[in-house]
Amino acid sequence: SYDVMMGVNNDEGSSVQYELQMRSNEPLADYVGAGNFDKLESLLTDHTAKDLASDVLVYWYGEELAKDSRRMEILVNVVDFFYTQPLDNGTVRFQDVADLLADTSFVVPTVQFSRDLAAAKVLTKTPSPGSLYLYLFNHYPGSKAGREQLNGINHAEDLNYQFDDTVMKERSAFNADDVTIARNFRLFLSNFAKYGRPELMLPGGGRWPEFVAQDEAYLSLELSPRVERHVYSKRVALWTQLIPSIFNSTRPIHPGSTSPPQQLIG
């Protein structure tokens, strides 16, 4: 048996800035980083989210989907509507496009893997099947407020809180909230490594429960950590329920075909 802990950050889709830059002919340094709001926004068009949605759908379902223009249009419009509507004064929000990438690259795969492990634990005959925990790094550093497009924790930025100085940030730049977050993060990671349990006492004396199928509990790591259920539930349901359902229901039926319907995830 194995003890497993998984987590995602609240702004995993930070790579969207690189995706946008690759669609332009300008140097990367002109767009990436703090203070480049206008330049990044200038790369967002009405077609940006649809283009990214199309890329994701082809990645998961294969090139054959790209050849079915009607089916692709239906799926892309659903994804685009879910993430970008209503528009912000007629324009797509940077955060919404980032969430699209975050969900398909990190959030949904992590949740689905957690579900698969939880289901396997129920089926196993091992007396001690191991523990399973999920967390969301849900911190918004004060140093980012008003300075960066994505003011949460970007992909890999949690490493700044797990270790001392990194190539991305020195701990001397932390404020009191960052220090508290880092202390709790290190505490539950080290406890989990030692004991297979995070052993993090929550405000009010509660404890962090394991991830199980019934309620899918996870820890929201913020200044005052708390236990929540079903991380990003609607966003996850889009990719594990609605999109697979639409994909299957719009699949062309060929006479004599016996191949089972495909699913995106789940």
Side-chain angles (χ1 to χ4, degrees):
S1 64
Y2 297 92
D3 299 315
V4 178
M5 175 182 286
M6 291 180 284
V8 292
N9 299 338
N10 57 7
D11 262 335
E12 291 279 12
S14 55
S15 61
V16 70
Q17 56 191 336
Y18 302 98
E19 293 283 347
L20 292 176
Q21 188 276 333
M22 286 190 292
R23 298 172 187 270
S24 74
N25 295 318
E26 300 296 329
L28 181 63
D30 289 347
Y31 290 93
V32 177
N36 291 328
F37 284 18
D38 294 338
K39 289 183 177 180
L40 283 166
E41 291 285 2
S42 71
L43 298 180
L44 284 172
T45 69
D46 293 339
H47 298 289
T48 302
K50 289 186 176 182
D51 289 345
L52 292 174
S54 178
D55 291 345
V56 168
L57 289 164
V58 170
Y59 174 78
W60 284 109
Y61 286 116
E63 293 292 338
E64 287 300 313
L65 177 60
K67 299 175 183 178
D68 189 339
S69 58
R70 174 185 169 275
R71 201 176 183 203
M72 175 65 88
E73 182 181 10
I74 293 172
L75 290 166
V76 166
N77 284 338
V78 169
V79 174
D80 177 63
F81 181 85
F82 182 90
Y83 284 97
T84 69
Q85 302 298 320
L87 297 176
D88 184 9
N89 293 321
T91 61
V92 177
R93 287 174 291 268
F94 189 83
Q95 181 69 61
D96 292 340
V97 178
D99 287 344
L100 168 58
L101 285 186
D103 291 346
T104 53
S105 299
F106 301 101
V107 176
V108 175
T110 299
V111 171
Q112 187 59 55
F113 189 42
S114 298
R115 289 174 175 175
D116 291 342
L117 289 177
K121 285 183 61 179
V122 173
L123 297 175
T124 185
K125 304 299 182 180
T126 306
S128 178
S131 60
L132 176 60
Y133 294 92
L134 178 67
Y135 69 85
L136 170 67
F137 205 125
N138 202 22
H139 180 50
Y140 293 88
S143 60
K144 288 188 175 185
R147 296 184 64 251
E148 298 189 26
Q149 285 281 5
L150 305 177
N151 58 5
I153 301 298
N154 297 167
H155 178 61
E157 198 172 8
D158 49 315
L159 297 177
N160 297 335
Y161 295 82
Q162 182 176 356
F163 302 107
D164 291 324
D165 295 346
T166 69
V167 294
M168 295 181 287
K169 188 172 185 177
E170 294 184 0
R171 289 178 66 84
S172 59
F174 278 10
N175 61 21
D177 290 351
D178 292 320
V179 172
T180 299
I181 292 289
R183 182 170 58 247
N184 284 332
F185 190 42
R186 289 180 168 191
L187 176 62
F188 77 65
L189 288 179
S190 59
N191 280 341
F192 180 78
K194 293 176 183 177
Y195 312 117
R197 304 179 304 278
E199 297 294 343
L200 180 67
M201 293 300 298
L202 305 177
R207 289 187 177 275
W208 177 0
E210 288 192 47
F211 182 100
V212 295
Q214 291 87 333
D215 59 7
E216 298 190 353
Y218 69 94
L219 180 81
S220 179
L221 178 59
E222 45 198 277
L223 194 57
S224 182
R226 67 179 189 273
V227 172
E228 301 283 356
R229 266 77 182 174
H230 305 288
V231 63
Y232 295 136
S233 58
K234 290 184 178 180
R235 288 158 54 177
V236 171
L238 172 73
W239 293 101
T240 60
Q241 298 178 39
L242 182 59
I243 293 298
S245 175
I246 295 174
F247 178 85
N248 291 333
S249 65
T250 57
R251 185 176 189 177
I253 300 176
H254 301 291
S257 175
T258 58
S259 58
Q262 300 179 43
Q263 290 187 332
L264 175 61
I265 301 175

